[in-house]
Amino acid sequence: MSLKLKRTQSHDKVEQQMTPMIDVVFQLLAFFIMTFKIVSPEGDFGIRMPSAKPQESVADVPLPPVKIALKADAAGKLQSITINPGTADARNFGTDMRLLSNWVINYLGSDRGPNSLAKTVEAELACDYRLHYGHTMAAVAAVSGYLDPSTNTPISLFEKVKFSRPQKRPTP
Amino acid sequence: MGIQLRKGEMPSAEMDMTPMIDMVFQLIAFFMMLINFSQAETNKRIELPLSALAIPVEDTDDHNFITLHVDDKNETIVMAADDYSLTTLEGALAKRRSELEKDKLDTKKTRIVIRADRKAQTGLVQEVIGTCQKVGFENFKLRAEQDRKK
């Protein structure tokens, strides 16, 4: 009663149907290619903001902050960058952020120790309400650090950057 | 001298599919690895300011942050895919803060990541920061896109 197979039957190939699998695989491939996006890397700048409540630690700050006033025209374009406006040390850099960065580099010097100007003095940005945020961020970057041209590594400048109190919303 | 075939016998030209399937699976694996689901956090309406100093933030398991997208065109602030105005944002932030406190996270250390359009009015961004301060948040991060040209 043993099952006898014919010689020809025992060598029959069991062919797998590849077409559905390839269909699904190509669908998956198409999906991932369509949804794939090259994303530009993003980074953060830390900002110290004065609290709405009166601060107790103001007396701990030994030196007054370096004020940087950014003025804008009605369209929000940068018109002028002024360091310490209204004082004898006031300096106007026009709209050149590199001049601002160079001034900060000279002001802070090379000392980055715990009691250095870079660690103890704050940079305070006073921006016009309408100023485009891109210019504000360029100023934040200019006072926060710069890229060393030879090594292309970031060198930090002011460690404490803050905004002054916001201006009132302009009437349209 | 030609090859003679018997009647009814056709030459079988079977293509070897294995290398192609290998390659296709490699491609699928590649795209799956690189697909960035954190893109759900970003907002297509917003063009971030560019900065060469914007060093990419490393991914951490720390969930103690809130991302706010400031869209200047419509004066809307997007938080967790919901749109808010400056007036409605305060209540939403207070709710979010209580959720973070329930998760036993220190809200004094909560990072408020601000992703604002490069053409947004700075005053509007400052108002958003002021609203966060009213709720009790103190730690702010201004996000920029890395400028690779410089």
Side-chain angles (χ1 to χ4, degrees):
Chain A
M1 289 294 284
S2 60
L3 187 65
K4 284 184 182 175
L5 291 171
K6 285 180 189 172
R7 197 176 176 181
T8 50
Q9 280 178 330
S10 64
H11 291 282
D12 274 355
K13 278 185 182 176
V14 182
E15 283 191 12
Q16 280 185 320
Q17 192 57 258
M18 300 286 273
T19 320
M21 190 197 75
I22 293 165
D23 283 353
V24 170
V25 163
F26 274 112
Q27 292 269 2
L28 279 169
L29 190 62
F31 168 78
F32 284 116
I33 289 171
M34 299 283 271
T35 52
F36 180 69
K37 278 178 194 167
I38 296 166
V39 184
S40 301
E42 296 174 3
D44 290 340
F45 289 94
I47 280 282
R48 228 179 78 95
M49 283 296 294
S51 172
K53 295 170 190 170
Q55 284 192 329
E56 292 170 7
S57 61
V58 173
D60 298 337
V61 180
L63 288 166
V66 171
K67 290 192 177 177
I68 300 141
L70 302 173
K71 296 283 174 198
D73 62 13
K77 282 193 173 179
L78 183 65
Q79 276 200 321
S80 71
I81 308 163
T82 314
I83 292 276
N84 294 322
T87 65
D89 304 329
R91 291 279 305 273
N92 192 314
F93 299 126
T95 58
D96 197 341
M97 287 292 172
R98 281 174 302 176
L99 292 177
L100 171 66
S101 181
N102 289 340
W103 183 88
V104 174
I105 292 166
N106 288 332
Y107 174 78
L108 295 177
S110 58
D111 185 13
R112 293 291 181 275
N115 295 318
S116 62
L117 291 173
K119 288 210 169 21
T120 53
V121 178
E122 283 183 322
E124 183 178 321
L125 296 170
C127 308
D128 276 358
Y129 191 97
R130 287 200 175 106
L131 180 69
H132 284 169
Y133 181 66
H135 298 302
T136 306
M137 283 297 284
V140 170
V143 300
S144 298
Y146 65 98
L147 282 181
D148 189 323
S150 55
T151 59
N152 216 27
T153 51
I155 310 288
S156 67
L157 294 171
F158 280 112
E159 292 207 351
K160 297 172 183 172
V161 183
K162 69 176 184 181
F163 287 131
S164 59
R165 293 194 182 281
Q167 292 188 355
K168 282 186 180 173
R169 186 180 284 241
T171 47
Chain B
M1 291 292 289
I3 299 168
Q4 284 188 349
L5 295 171
R6 283 183 205 161
K7 199 179 177 184
E9 189 180 315
M10 295 292 287
S12 64
E14 278 187 19
M15 197 173 77
D16 189 5
M17 305 287 268
T18 318
M20 188 194 75
I21 292 165
D22 282 354
M23 278 305 297
V24 167
F25 274 114
Q26 291 268 8
L27 282 168
I28 287 176
F30 170 76
F31 284 113
M32 280 180 82
M33 298 281 275
L34 286 189
I35 197 163
N36 192 353
F37 287 108
S38 68
Q39 276 298 294
E41 274 291 307
T42 63
N43 193 306
K44 286 176 187 172
R45 285 180 283 181
I46 288 160
E47 275 187 80
L48 288 179
L50 297 170
S51 175
L53 283 172
I55 309 296
V57 270
E58 284 182 17
D59 282 341
T60 58
D61 293 334
D62 180 13
H63 297 295
N64 196 6
F65 70 92
I66 298 169
T67 306
L68 299 176
H69 308 270
V70 182
D71 180 14
D72 190 52
K73 287 164 199 134
N74 311 309
E75 280 220 4
T76 50
I77 297 102
V78 183
M79 180 172 71
D82 292 319
D83 287 12
Y84 300 96
S85 67
L86 270 174
T87 45
T88 56
L89 180 67
E90 192 174 336
L93 280 171
K95 193 180 166 190
R96 184 80 188 102
R97 191 188 163 171
S98 59
E99 285 169 3
L100 290 171
E101 281 168 346
K102 270 184 193 172
D103 293 341
K104 294 180 180 175
L105 292 168
D106 183 2
T107 52
K108 289 282 177 197
K109 288 181 182 170
T110 302
R111 300 184 309 282
I112 306 291
V113 179
I114 294 182
R115 298 183 80 256
D117 192 280
R118 64 183 74 154
K119 286 192 175 165
Q121 298 181 94
T122 300
L124 178 67
V125 178
Q126 285 187 270
E127 282 180 322
V128 171
I129 291 173
T131 308
C132 296
Q133 285 178 312
K134 279 186 204 167
V135 181
F137 294 115
E138 294 177 353
N139 189 2
F140 298 95
K141 300 283 177 195
L142 306 180
R143 189 151 284 185
E145 190 179 311
Q146 193 176 32
D147 188 4
R148 289 172 169 176
K149 289 172 195 166
K150 288 181 183 175

